[in-house]
Amino acid sequence: MEPGGDAARRGLGRAARALPPRLLLLLLPPLLLGRGLRGAAAASSSGAAAEDSSAMEELDTEQEAEESHRQDSVSLLTFILLLTLTILTIWLFKHRRVRFLHETGLAMIYGLIVGVILRYGTPATSGHNKSLSCTQEDRAFSTLLVNVSGKFFEYTLKGEISPGKLNSVEQNDMLRKVTFDPEVFFNILLPPIIFHAGYSLKKRHFFRNLGSILAYAFLGTAVSCFIIGNLMYGVVKLMKMVGQLSDKFYYTDCLFFGAIISATDPVTVLAIFNELHADVDLYALLFGESVLNDAVAIVLSSSIVAYQPAGLNTHAFDAAAFFKSVGIFLGIFSGSFTMGAVTGVVTALVTKFTKLHCFPLLETALFFLMSWSTFLLAEACGFTGVVAVLFCGITQAHYTYNNLSVESRSRTKQLFEVLHFLAENFIFSYMGLALFTFQKHVFSPIFIIGAFVAIFLGRAAHIYPLSFFLNLGRRHKIGWNFQHMMMFSGLRGAMAFALAIRDTASYARQMMFTTTLLIVFFTVWIVGGGTTPMLSWLNIRVGVDPDQDPPPNNDSFQVLQGDGPDSAGGNRTKQESAWLFRLWYSFDHNYLKPILTHSGPPLTTTLPTWCGLLARCLTSPQVYDNQEPLREEDSDFILTEGDLTLTYGDSTVTANGSSGSHTASMSLEGSRKTKSSSEEVLERDLGMGDQKVSSRGTRLVFPLEDNA
């Protein structure tokens, strides 16, 4: 409304009443037309201003989008340059034979340097933050539509911010860009790391120590989790007494911290072991424990989160809820294991019954997609992708690898090795970066010191008592030097970090993340750097060929069958103690290998006669054509080609159990009368034919380390 408009209208009304009607008719149209023209001009002016404002807003939006794209490119380029610098420094360290710092520790140092530069060297660029109150709502929304001057804008939930940190919200857009979504670690970076662990597994040494590995991974991780959780609960009570606890920290939070920090990742130690060719049994124990306990830790943490007691106090102990969590643990682990194995079996069948080997590129692409999809499929079904992709890798290595062409074998090995290397170093670089770029750190000296003490005690209770009980059933004992080295090698790494960063919404989770980050730094730098001196101090063998078997005086092998003088009682007991593995090997060799691969005996010789049609359909034509079977380069699960040529002491035992001297010889024609059909096929696959060999040639021996 114009100023004085009412007065003008009143004056116009009085003048109109004073004028004659005819003159009024002549004067009113021009007056009204003038007012209409002035109104139209004002409307036209406001419309043009609105169009100019809209155009400026669109221009600003385009500039902000372009700036965001540029910052995304810079953030990704930062990590690529970090990896490039790490690779060049690794080459320099290998060239100079520097072993006090591993590549992962180096990546963390470079990440720290870049984090300092981004934190203190880049100015704040975002100035459009404003708090809006929604007091009428009782929960947070994942997506929010905000009406700003008639235009709707979409906002997504980033996370909860404590009231005391409202003024310290990140104002630097660049630091926002380098802070990744935790799901990136789980869905993109972890799958190649875990799959490579299963795909490159040296099954011969792994299954030789399978019982001990399972004990350390399952029972040991559970013991470590509960010891660390209870000790940290005492630390939390102490913090509350001295006034250092500013928010809620429940017992279940302490158990969750015990679960995630029990995931060991001795990547530094294992790399040095591999470079120095340390004792293969020690390597197998450490590697097997680290591979499996990552899976156990993530399932255990999920079970603790799922712990929901009945009643008002949701953090009190409830026996029903406890056993429900145990059932969830068993269900998730077994379901994930089954899903991973089934995916590997499906891939093996596809590669066997199609001619993808004629197109190595398609074969490699299918192998890659099927392997990666295992992780996502398990997560989508409510299981754990880490467990699924681990056992998928083991199954792929045992079956699918035999069906691949020579080019695809090399490509898949190298592809996952490169992805594993890049993903692992990327995670460790991000760890260094996150120490300065992450905005939700909660540093508590009491909690950090207590965590280090609890981890040490938990690792000790994990290794030494279990080793004592395991040695009661092992002929090849786990020596004190091995136990000390395993105690020393309990490093924390990528899995603990990924589990900690996945949820940082609450005060307790933020404190856990900060403490986990510092623990990873310490163990990788200090413990990893002391690996070589520790090997020397503990007198652990180095320079050992990983494919070489223990010396004859090492009682780590047992003979499955024997007819010698000493075999009447002792060897019978040994044979009975190994029945489970012998049963698995027989089933795998006679049925699974012929069904899933191009190797093994024809199913027509192992299946019943009424299954003849099915046996002919499932048996590969290569077996009927007597072509060279495709065998994996790695050793078999239980018995291997190398195992079939071992000597036990001064006696030699043939495949059918007959013993003799080293100089005695025999013909395979005579021995076949007492051999099973599977043994005949196995000998033919090994290319033994009808030639004469000494009695040390074909013997079934079995690792004795574990009877479990």
Side-chain angles (χ1 to χ4, degrees), residues 199 203 344 347-348 351-352 357 363 367 394-406 408-409 412-413 588-589 592-600 620 622 628-637 641:
Y199 194 53
K203 296 183 292 295
T347 310
T351 54
K352 176 184 177 181
H357 63 272
E363 190 178 36
F367 184 92
I394 295 176
T395 308
Q396 300 277 46
H398 189 56
Y399 298 113
T400 310
Y401 184 82
N402 293 340
N403 301 334
L404 301 178
S405 61
V406 177
S408 295
R409 293 185 188 185
T412 53
K413 286 281 189 181
D588 178 65
H589 176 73
L592 293 183
K593 275 292 186 71
I595 293 176
L596 301 178
T597 69
H598 297 291
S599 60
S620 175
Q622 282 88 331
E628 180 182 359
L630 299 177
R631 295 189 302 272
E632 58 182 346
E633 294 178 0
D634 291 337
S635 303
D636 205 338
F637 270 92
E641 299 176 13

Side-chain angles (χ1 to χ4, degrees), residues 28 95 156 162 184 212 216 274 313 551 641 696:
L28 276 178
H95 181 67
T156 56
S162 59
V184 172
S212 298
Y216 286 128
N274 190 43
N313 190 357
E641 299 176 13
R696 69 166 63 185

Side-chain angles (χ1 to χ4, degrees), residues 475-493:
R475 291 184 59 191
H476 184 57
K477 309 298 183 184
I478 302 176
W480 284 105
N481 56 345
F482 278 23
Q483 296 180 39
H484 295 329
M485 194 66 213
M486 294 179 68
M487 171 69 191
F488 179 81
S489 303
L491 285 76
R492 270 62 177 178

Side-chain angles (χ1 to χ4, degrees), residues 639-694:
L639 299 177
T640 63
E641 299 176 13
D643 291 334
L644 296 177
T645 58
L646 290 177
T647 304
Y648 186 81
D650 295 331
S651 63
T652 56
V653 183
T654 61
N656 67 337
S658 60
S659 60
S661 63
H662 289 308
T663 58
S665 63
M666 69 176 185
S667 172
L668 286 178
E669 291 293 338
S671 63
R672 281 179 181 168
K673 297 179 181 179
T674 58
K675 294 180 181 177
S676 64
S677 60
S678 62
E679 292 169 348
E680 295 175 2
V681 176
L682 182 60
E683 290 180 354
R684 186 172 66 248
D685 289 345
L686 297 177
M688 298 178 65
D690 294 333
Q691 58 184 343
K692 293 185 177 181
V693 295
S694 63

Side-chain angles (χ1 to χ4, degrees), residues 301-435:
S301 62
S302 301
S303 303
I304 293 173
V305 172
Y307 177 78
Q308 294 292 338
L312 298 177
N313 190 357
T314 58
H315 296 276
F317 177 78
D318 187 355
F322 172 77
F323 286 109
K324 181 180 178 181
S325 296
V326 173
I328 291 175
F329 173 85
L330 297 176
I332 292 179
F333 195 93
S334 59
S336 303
F337 166 79
T338 303
M339 186 167 292
V342 168
T343 307
V345 168
V346 170
T347 310
L349 291 174
V350 171
T351 54
K352 176 184 177 181
F353 291 104
T354 61
K355 294 188 177 181
L356 279 173
H357 63 272
C358 299
F359 306 94
L361 179 61
L362 300 180
E363 190 178 36
T364 304
L366 178 68
F367 184 92
F368 174 80
L369 294 176
M370 291 292 290
S371 302
W372 201 303
S373 64
T374 306
F375 183 92
L376 302 178
L377 179 62
E379 292 288 335
C381 294
F383 296 109
T384 300
V386 171
V387 180
V389 78
L390 171 64
F391 287 99
C392 176
I394 295 176
T395 308
Q396 300 277 46
H398 189 56
Y399 298 113
T400 310
Y401 184 82
N402 293 340
N403 301 334
L404 301 178
S405 61
V406 177
E407 295 86 348
S408 295
R409 293 185 188 185
S410 177
R411 287 177 180 178
T412 53
K413 286 281 189 181
Q414 295 176 0
L415 173 63
F416 281 101
E417 186 176 4
V418 170
L419 290 176
H420 163 264
F421 172 82
L422 293 177
E424 191 170 60
N425 282 277
F426 184 92
I427 290 178
F428 279 93
S429 298
Y430 186 79
M431 288 184 196
L433 199 71
L435 187 62

Side-chain angles (χ1 to χ4, degrees), residues 79-91 106 110:
F79 286 102
I80 291 177
L81 292 178
L82 277 175
L83 293 176
T84 304
L85 186 60
T86 302
I87 290 173
L88 293 177
T89 312
I90 291 171
W91 168 82
L106 192 63
Y110 287 145

Side-chain angles (χ1 to χ4, degrees), residues 99-109 264-269 272 424-425 428-429 431 452 488-494 497 516-531:
R99 297 193 180 97
F100 67 88
L101 184 63
H102 187 249
E103 58 198 42
T104 54
L106 192 63
M108 293 170 66
I109 292 177
T264 60
D265 186 17
V267 57
T268 304
V269 176
I272 295 176
E424 191 170 60
N425 282 277
F428 279 93
S429 298
M431 288 184 196
F452 275 99
F488 179 81
S489 303
L491 285 76
R492 270 62 177 178
F497 173 79
T516 301
L517 200 59
L518 295 178
I519 290 172
V520 172
F521 286 163
F522 178 83
T523 56
V524 170
W525 287 339
I526 306 301
V527 179
T531 300

